[in-house]
Amino acid sequence: RFAVPVRDFNPIHLSDWSARLLGQRSAIAHGLYSAARCLDLLRQHHPIATPFVLDVQFKRPLPLPARIVVAPVLSVFTPPHM
């Protein structure tokens, strides 16, 4: 479902079969989709003031299906002077 709106038809995201052809054990979640879902989950349980910074670090592929833990980390952001 995510491939169509962003036009990213990378085979590692489409099916287990095509992902295995490219060395993965199963299809993996798209990074932008994962980040958007995490942000959605955080916003459901924690109010987020705007503007905000979303800092995402991808450490390894997220095989599908998967369960993850999402937790907010509050920090002070100082925007650069323009």
Side-chain angles (χ1 to χ4, degrees):
R1 294 184 307 186
F2 187 74
V4 174
V6 297
R7 296 184 179 151
D8 182 355
F9 295 93
N10 187 329
I12 61 175
H13 304 304
L14 299 179
S15 72
D16 290 342
W17 179 82
S18 59
R20 280 194 291 271
L21 287 175
L22 297 170
Q24 299 296 323
R25 291 183 179 165
S26 65
I28 61 172
H30 192 283
L32 290 176
Y33 176 78
S34 302
R37 286 289 295 137
C38 289
L39 179 59
D40 184 49
L41 290 170
L42 287 172
R43 292 185 72 163
Q44 288 177 24
H45 301 286
H46 304 281
I48 298 176
T50 56
F52 65 91
V53 173
L54 178 64
D55 182 11
V56 180
Q57 298 177 13
F58 301 103
K59 299 194 179 206
R60 64 181 66 89
L62 180 60
L64 297 171
R67 288 182 163 231
I68 62 169
V69 174
V70 178
V73 175
L74 301 177
S75 63
V76 176
F77 174 72
T78 305
H81 296 289
M82 301 228 160

